[in-house]
Amino acid sequence: MATTVTAPRGMRDFLPADKARREHVLGVIRGVYARHGFDEIETPVVEDSARLHSGLGGDNEKLAFGVLRRGLTTEDLHTAEAPLDLVDLGLRFDLTVPLARFYASHRAELPTVFRAVQIAPVWRAERPQKGRYRQFVQCDIDVLGEPGQLAEIELIRATTAALDELGVTGTSIRINDRRVLTAMLASWGVTDPGAAERALITIDKLDKIGANGVAVELSEMLGQDLFDTAELTLTIEELAHADWDTAAGADWLDVEAFDDLLRLRAALPGVDLRFDPTLVRGMGYYTGTIFEVAHPDFGYSLGGGGRYDGMIGRFLGQDVPAVGFSLGFERLVDLVDLPESATSDAVVLLYDKDADPVRLAALKGEALGSHQRVRLERRTKNTKNQLAGLAAQGFGAFASVGADTTTLQGVEFRPLA
């Protein structure tokens, strides 16, 4: 028998009020994305293990949950050279790899430019901590088949519209381009692709270990003879505070990529688009524009994404341009309260224990004719606490019905809060 009744480590149960808030946020996001012309899809929670470990998922591949092959024998367990030899499926660790497989599978049935929404749980074998879970929901929109900047424009527009609809204000979009990062590293003498990728992983830690920490790690990783740590620290600090004006004309800049970003800014009036040459986005599959949602009150992003033109070609044998933007649902849901409209028409009928169940069912049916949500609730001794609990569950008003109540006409509904 199990010795604990808690949810598995790193996973959560949601009480009704929490679930209602989550569904409200999901409903708003889905509605905005639908209005912007994106179509929702669904993919299986598992994918072939070989696909999940094909190099498309970056460091997340190390966090994938595997599903053991059926029919394994004791000999199989002893002779396997690596754990992956024992699995044939795995839980998805993101929604991008499944989307790439989905598009390769159904390309003939999809429009030339496909605008996809995928909102679903994913699983990673993380070390659980505050704000980091082993099961969580991702909200992704992607544009596949559009090589031009229209894809980025539509994604950013739809994402900012969803944030506005949720009432999340004060956000900005940090934006960069992988070509800018490549040129910046080349100006430092880092031209080997493998060394450049390791350097980007270190730069991505800037908000955690600071400019000096990044400089020290780069010096140790790539050689003290390549970098003067003190000088590199100053350089990184300057880059971290660079903006559109200070970056223009810099000797480390990829001019073509920067011009593309300037055109994006011009195409998105009203969007607070901020150039950040230190923005990396850790996934190795990004090939061009990258972006993140920033908020001045939080030290973490509320979403992010970028262009990954090379991924789908791994399945099709030919390149397909692709860009995606993912909202950080688990972070957003804590910032959003249920609107009053969600509780104003949810009512409770309080009754005593000796009430006739047939009569109660009839009263509930009558209430459902004029209210969106109705619950029958037996009155407790501590009515005050009971009403407070019902308010916390999302109900807006209550009425008391007695043993002789036959109709709700003339019965007063009183607010719970």
Side-chain angles (χ1 to χ4, degrees):
M1 176 180 286
T3 58
T4 178
V5 293
T6 59
R9 189 164 177 260
M11 301 181 184
R12 298 164 292 165
D13 296 320
F14 296 104
L15 293 170
D18 297 322
K19 180 64 174 173
R21 186 186 305 108
R22 291 171 72 85
E23 290 302 317
H24 166 69
V25 174
L26 289 172
V28 170
I29 293 171
R30 280 191 167 98
V32 171
Y33 287 165
R35 291 201 303 272
H36 280 254
F38 290 81
D39 294 317
E40 189 162 1
I41 65 168
E42 184 174 329
T43 58
V45 301
V46 295
E47 293 283 347
D48 287 340
S49 179
R51 182 173 299 119
L52 292 174
H53 295 87
S54 61
L56 299 176
D59 287 343
N60 287 333
E61 294 187 5
K62 302 173 185 176
L63 303 175
F65 284 98
V67 179
L68 291 174
R69 297 198 316 269
R70 294 185 63 186
L72 284 174
T73 66
T74 303
E75 183 180 356
D76 293 329
L77 298 176
H78 288 300
T79 59
E81 295 182 3
L84 287 178
D85 295 337
L86 301 172
V87 305
D88 57 356
L89 299 172
L91 291 173
R92 62 190 177 206
F93 50 72
D94 72 3
L95 298 178
T96 306
V97 174
L99 173 65
R101 194 271 310 153
F102 172 92
Y103 185 81
S105 299
H106 301 283
R107 187 181 187 186
E109 306 159 66
L110 298 172
T112 303
V113 176
F114 182 48
R115 296 166 176 84
V117 177
Q118 199 172 182
I119 300 176
V122 299
W123 293 265
R124 295 178 190 171
E126 299 269 14
R127 177 177 296 174
Q129 53 188 289
K130 182 177 175 58
R132 191 177 294 276
Y133 308 104
R134 289 180 170 177
Q135 176 179 318
F136 55 95
V137 171
Q138 286 193 333
C139 298
D140 287 13
I141 48 174
D142 295 79
V143 178
L144 311 181
E146 171 55 63
Q149 289 188 315
L150 178 61
E152 281 91 340
I153 293 169
E154 287 198 272
L155 289 171
I156 293 173
R157 280 285 185 209
T159 299
T160 54
L163 292 170
D164 289 343
E165 191 81 7
L166 289 169
V168 179
T169 59
T171 60
S172 60
I173 307 291
R174 298 166 62 208
I175 194 165
N176 197 13
D177 193 295
R178 278 296 178 114
R179 293 171 293 172
V180 170
L181 290 164
T182 300
M184 182 178 71
L185 290 176
S187 72
W188 297 350
V190 183
T191 56
D192 175 73
E197 193 61 37
R198 294 194 302 274
L200 290 181
I201 292 172
T202 297
I203 294 171
D204 199 30
K205 302 176 185 177
L206 180 60
D207 60 337
K208 298 180 180 67
I209 63 177
N212 183 253
V214 170
V216 170
E217 192 168 314
L218 286 175
S219 298
E220 293 174 349
M221 179 192 308
L222 302 174
Q224 298 284 349
D225 56 331
L226 188 61
F227 295 124
D228 177 281
T229 303
E231 183 178 325
L232 183 59
T233 298
L234 292 174
T235 299
I236 294 172
E237 287 177 346
E238 291 175 0
L239 289 169
H241 293 91
D243 57 22
W244 297 103
D245 295 329
T246 58
D251 56 6
W252 48 263
L253 192 65
D254 183 300
V255 175
E256 182 179 352
F258 187 67
D259 285 346
D260 286 344
L261 296 179
L262 287 172
R263 280 190 288 271
L264 270 180
R265 184 177 66 159
L268 292 163
V271 176
D272 188 0
L273 209 62
R274 301 185 182 184
F275 176 61
D276 182 352
T278 66
L279 177 64
V280 174
R281 298 288 302 166
M283 303 306 292
Y285 52 63
Y286 289 127
T287 59
T289 318
I290 48 179
F291 28 74
E292 280 190 352
V293 181
H295 192 285
D297 294 340
F298 309 105
Y300 49 77
S301 70
L302 298 178
R307 181 168 284 275
Y308 55 98
D309 286 347
M311 179 183 288
I312 297 174
R314 297 275 294 272
F315 296 111
L316 283 177
Q318 62 184 89
D319 285 343
V320 174
V323 195
F325 208 139
S326 179
L327 278 175
F329 173 75
E330 305 296 347
R331 292 171 174 175
L332 279 175
V333 75
D334 291 334
L335 306 179
V336 179
D337 293 322
L338 279 175
E340 289 187 10
S341 59
T343 60
S344 60
D345 204 24
V347 300
V348 176
L349 299 179
L350 281 186
Y351 64 90
D352 295 323
K353 65 179 181 178
D354 57 349
D356 177 16
V358 175
R359 184 172 293 173
L360 288 174
L363 292 172
K364 181 177 181 178
E366 182 181 347
L368 285 169
S370 54
H371 298 280
Q372 290 185 348
R373 187 181 184 208
V374 180
R375 175 183 290 178
L376 291 169
E377 192 85 9
R378 180 184 291 181
R379 189 189 314 275
T380 64
K381 290 182 178 180
N382 193 333
T383 306
K384 182 179 180 180
N385 284 351
Q386 182 181 22
L387 296 179
L390 289 167
Q393 294 172 45
F395 290 91
F398 77 100
S400 294
V401 294
D404 58 349
T405 304
T406 58
T407 178
L408 293 177
Q409 293 183 15
V411 173
E412 180 187 4
F413 280 89
R414 288 176 287 175
L416 279 165

